[in-house]
Amino acid sequence: MRKMEGPVVVLTGAGVSAESGVPTFRGPEGLWRTFRPEDLATPEAFARDPVLVWEWYDWRRQRIANCRPNPAHRVLAEMEAALPDFTLITQNVDGLHQAAGSRRVLELHGNIWRVRCTRCGRVGEDRRVPLPEIPPRCACGGLLRPDVVWFGEPLPPAVLEEAWEAAARCRWMLVVGTSALVQPAASLPVVAHRNGARLIEVNVSDTPLTPLADEVLRGPAGEVLPRWWAACARL
Ligand code: BV8
Ligand code: ZN
């Protein structure tokens, strides 16, 4: 355990929201019955069957609407307030980091509470659960889509650029609750490590990043992170 000095970056995945009740993608209960996210979270699936894709998102939105931030989300909000140079990067689309009080969140994969018009491009927040009509329509009559990044789609360039820069210059990187399988997010810790950052992994199981980690905090983020942060504060 060392005193954290210098820029700190945290990368989170679905595991940080698991204790809030948000289903992970590759957990035992899986996200949605027989479908794989790679099959549904794609522009092709949406073009082929927008109703099926929206039924999946409406189901997830209804699940997430009842979920509250857990102690892991709250500790990350505390870290942002306490540390002079802190960047939170998330792969999650559930908005729970913002709900916990994090003020600057780099959302690599968008946000399930935002919708985007496929015709006029208007982007707006839509928190209606359940959706009154599926698929939802824009005022212009165009088909709305979830404002998330699907497989095969580029990540928002400005957000990704900021994430690369933060990863390249940080002295500490915490990787919390990600299977480190989805690219390019999974390369951020590799860049940090290559540039000499101290890598700390918080996960209930091993991932492809575990061999790179300087420290592995094995256990549920909602229990492990608060204990680790309290110990840091005593240094
Ligand atoms: C792109 C939004 C290019 C949608 C998501 C072959 C090789 C390498 C890459 C590829 C390949 N084929 C295709 C690709 C690229 C592809 C990719 O990476 N595929 C993977 C599957 C191989 N990537 C893309 O397509 C990306 N785009 O590359 O574009 C491009 C460039 C220019 C122009 C055109 C194109 C886009 C990827 C984004 C996909 N969208 N989400 C939605 O959510 O509906 S990704 C989706 O999966 C979520 O965001 C989620 O974050 C992610 C799953 O990852 P995790 O977050 O890690 O979640 P997971 O369930 O997997 O793991 C949970 C972890 O938590 C586990 O480790 C578990 O042990 C742990 N855990 C559980 N409980 C706890 C816990 N840990 C702590 N505490 C607990 N309590
Ligand atoms: Zn429109």
Side-chain angles (χ1 to χ4, degrees):
M1 172 65 70
R2 299 184 188 178
K3 188 154 180 57
M4 266 200 298
E5 258 126 19
V8 176
V9 169
V10 179
L11 171 68
T12 63
V16 81
S17 297
E19 290 148 272
S20 297
V22 178
T24 63
F25 281 77
R26 293 168 183 82
E29 83 283 7
L31 239 186
W32 202 42
R33 294 195 283 273
T34 55
F35 292 98
R36 289 182 333 127
E38 289 79 8
D39 297 336
L40 272 187
T42 69
E44 293 77 22
F46 187 71
R48 189 175 54 244
D49 191 343
V51 172
L52 174 67
V53 172
W54 263 117
E55 281 172 348
W56 181 48
Y57 278 91
D58 196 40
W59 175 80
R60 287 173 65 195
R61 286 159 51 107
Q62 292 182 55
R63 284 285 301 264
I64 296 170
N66 301 320
C67 296
R68 297 288 164 265
N70 69 61
H73 294 108
R74 285 199 288 276
V75 159
L76 294 173
E78 276 175 44
M79 288 176 71
E80 178 186 52
L83 294 170
D85 189 335
F86 178 88
T87 303
L88 175 60
I89 305 168
T90 190
Q91 301 171 82
N92 299 340
V93 297
D94 57 31
L96 287 180
H97 285 304
Q98 294 90 327
S102 291
R103 298 156 59 88
R104 180 172 157 260
V105 184
L106 298 184
E107 292 182 312
L108 296 177
H109 299 156
N111 187 304
I112 204 165
W113 297 115
R114 275 199 314 269
V115 292
R116 185 167 87 230
C117 178
T118 57
R119 177 187 290 174
C120 72
R122 185 185 68 81
V123 175
E125 186 159 282
D126 181 337
R127 287 190 173 266
R128 295 174 298 172
V129 285
L131 283 167
E133 56 165 354
I134 285 187
R137 295 238 168 235
C138 173
C140 80
L143 193 55
L144 291 174
R145 60 163 282 176
D147 191 30
V148 299
V149 179
W150 281 329
F151 289 101
E153 292 188 320
L155 276 57
V159 175
L160 184 55
E161 183 56 37
E162 207 173 333
W164 284 130
E165 280 164 16
R169 59 182 280 273
C170 71
R171 299 280 26 90
W172 296 74
M173 181 179 275
L174 275 73
V175 185
V176 186
T178 181
S179 59
L181 296 174
V182 173
Q183 295 296 349
S187 297
L188 290 166
V190 176
V191 165
H193 184 262
R194 193 182 305 133
N195 289 5
R198 188 167 173 75
L199 202 55
I200 301 176
E201 183 178 52
V202 179
N203 203 307
V204 292
S205 56
D206 281 7
T207 75
L209 286 177
T210 308
L212 249 58
D214 298 284
E215 252 181 283
V216 174
L217 308 181
R218 180 69 67 243
E223 292 167 27
V224 161
L225 257 185
R227 267 205 313 270
W228 175 82
W229 177 235
C232 279
R234 284 196 291 275
L235 291 176

